[in-house]
Each structure stands twice: as C-alpha cells, then as structure tokens.
Amino acid sequence: MNISRLSLLSTLFLPSHAFLPTRPRTFSTTLRASSSMKELAEKVLVQAKFPPEWPYNDAVDFARQDESDDGIFYEPSRLVYHIDDPAVEALTKYYEGCFEEGEDVLDICSSWVSHFPKEWKGGNVVGLGMNEYELSQNKQLSSFVVKDLNKDPTLPFEDDSFDKVTCVVSVDYLNQPKMVFPEIARVLRPGGICMLAMSNRCFPTKAFRIWLQTNDLEHIFIAGSFFHYAGMFDPPSCDDISPNPGRSDPLFIVKAAKKSS
C-alpha cells in the first residue's frame, strides 16, 4: 500500500481535518494539543471500514530501512524505558484495571520490564523477546523465550495457553503481522485479550515503512486492521490513555478479544 492509498482509506473513518501533509511527529504534536484528540483516537476503530481483503503490499509496506539481521541490532542490552515515566505509569495503571490474579500472560517483544502492576500475582507469565540478558532481568516473568518473530512468526506455545497477550511499543517492528496475529489468537484462550500499547517513539531503521509514513490515528487503524484480518478476533477498539497530552509521550491501547466460538 502506498501513502496515497492509505490516506484514501483513512478518509472513510476519520474527519478530514485530522490529516495534514506533514511528518507524523508534527501532526501528533499539533493535534494532541486539542482536547478532541482522545475522542478522535477512540473513534478510529468504531465501525471502521476495513477493505474486504488484506490491503498491504508486504514487500513494500513492511520493509525496513535496515534489513540486516535483527539479532545484531538487538544484541546490545538496553536496560532503559522506551516511553517516558508518565506513560509508563499510565500503562501500569491501565493494566491494573485489566489483569486478574492468576491469569496466564504472554508478553511478546518483551525485555527487562513489562510494566505490569507490582502487586499483581500472575500465573504463567512468559516473555518472548530478542535479548536474553534483558529477559533474564525481568522479575515479573515466570519464564522467557528468546526468539525473532521476523525470522519465524510462530509462537512456541500450545493452543489456548494464555488469558492475555501484551506488546509494548513494538508492533511496528513486526514485519510479518499477517502471520503473527493469527498466532496470537491461537495461543489465546477464547475471550482472551491482546493489548498493543503504542506511542510515537521507535527505532526508525527497524520500524516498518508504512508506520514511518503515517500518523498516530492511522497507526491505530493499521494495528486494528491486523486484528481484523486475522479473522479470529472480535472487532478491535482503542483506549487513549495518554497521561499529559502535549507534554509527555502519547499512549494508545489497541486491543481485541479472541472470538469465543
């Protein structure tokens, strides 16, 4: 999909004033100052008009500036937050309202911290990520798996293994979403929820092309489309939990539950 095709699709579900021919960060900074941003973000996936078939050109839209082995890029350990402190606090608070005691949770694209509530007691809490040392430092995990989903987009778990799947500011690095999202559905139990936490920070050389060409609202639509085309989820929705609009990192949760039947 080229940028003009995506913009054409976007006009189906967003008000015309939401689109400006500027870079994504300029758009985000300008529009977020408006009190209407939360309303716009949370309306993107309400009765979204997805094209009848997968609209992306995978070889183009999910290409990256740096196509070298991801294992090389992620080999250095980065024990840092990838969103600012207010966004981290907002995410943890959001999870507090979603997680139940004893739930089994899979955190994909995981690292040294998952931002889960400190007092929450999970069941089987598994991290899947790229850096073994980072994962070993994550004290909220029961176990972890080192795996590159861009090389092999399958999840090494049995069907119906988890109540929740989380992914924090990393969906834009998954260059085979058409394969990964059915796998997420497969390992979720019926009614289980996948939650994608998204902001506007990224490693630009490893984010896929269409993400870099689009803005926050279009990111919500793109992420929601991944759930839609997997064919195994209820309609996706978005919660804007940005803690300080215009003054700290924006934060959106795009989520969907696995169909019960």
Side-chain angles (χ1 to χ4, degrees):
M1 177 187 293
N2 60 37
I3 190 66
S4 60
R5 286 179 60 196
L6 182 64
S7 295
L8 179 61
L9 289 175
S10 300
T11 62
L12 297 176
F13 62 92
L14 289 174
S16 59
H17 70 269
F19 292 91
L20 301 173
T22 57
R23 295 178 61 188
R25 182 59 66 92
T26 302
F27 161 87
S28 176
T29 302
T30 302
L31 186 56
R32 180 151 290 281
S34 168
S35 61
S36 66
M37 180 61 187
K38 179 179 174 66
E39 182 180 2
L40 287 172
E42 295 185 348
K43 282 185 175 180
V44 168
L45 296 174
V46 176
Q47 298 181 335
K49 299 178 181 178
F50 295 109
E53 297 183 1
W54 181 256
Y56 306 105
N57 180 335
D58 290 6
V60 175
D61 295 324
F62 301 118
R64 286 94 52 81
Q65 296 174 24
D66 177 6
E67 291 289 4
S68 64
D69 189 334
D70 289 343
I72 298 173
F73 182 84
Y74 291 106
E75 182 177 6
S77 298
R78 300 177 175 90
L79 302 184
V80 297
Y81 290 160
H82 296 285
I83 47 179
D84 63 19
D85 289 345
V88 167
E89 293 173 7
L91 179 57
T92 299
K93 183 177 181 180
Y94 184 85
Y95 285 154
E96 285 178 356
C98 299
F99 287 11
E100 297 183 11
E101 295 292 301
E103 283 192 319
D104 299 325
V105 177
L106 170 63
D107 186 32
I108 64 171
C109 306
S110 189
S111 66
W112 72 285
V113 62
S114 295
H115 308 301
F116 297 157
K118 291 182 179 180
E119 302 303 319
W120 172 70
K121 303 297 183 184
N124 184 30
V125 182
V126 183
L128 185 149
M130 291 285 292
N131 186 289
E132 182 174 6
Y133 180 73
E134 288 183 13
L135 292 166
S136 73
Q137 299 304 297
N138 190 328
K139 305 307 181 185
Q140 294 186 300
L141 302 179
S142 307
S143 62
F144 62 84
V145 177
V146 178
K147 184 168 184 180
D148 183 352
L149 291 177
N150 288 339
K151 281 188 175 180
D152 177 9
T154 61
L155 296 174
F157 309 106
E158 299 294 326
D159 295 359
D160 304 337
S161 293
F162 299 99
D163 301 295
K164 300 281 194 307
V165 173
T166 59
C167 180
V168 179
V169 292
S170 295
V171 68
D172 46 317
Y173 303 131
L174 296 174
N175 65 4
Q176 298 188 66
K178 193 175 183 180
M179 303 293 290
V180 170
F181 277 74
E183 278 290 288
I184 292 173
R186 180 184 65 78
V187 303
L188 276 171
R189 297 180 177 122
I193 299 173
C194 177
M195 294 177 283
L196 310 175
M198 310 184 329
S199 189
N200 59 7
R201 290 197 190 191
C202 69
F203 296 119
T205 60
K206 285 298 185 180
F208 51 71
R209 180 182 180 185
I210 199 170
W211 196 266
L212 299 179
Q213 294 179 325
T214 48
N215 59 49
D216 288 346
L217 298 182
E218 290 167 317
H219 292 165
I220 293 167
F221 182 76
I222 291 168
S225 79
F226 296 159
F227 287 119
H228 173 79
Y229 291 111
M232 303 167 71
F233 291 95
D234 290 334
S237 62
C238 175
D239 293 324
D240 182 348
I241 62 169
S242 304
N244 302 298
R247 292 180 286 118
S248 63
D249 289 343
L251 195 62
F252 310 97
I253 307 295
V254 175
K255 62 183 180 179
K258 180 178 177 177
K259 292 179 179 179
S260 297
S261 58

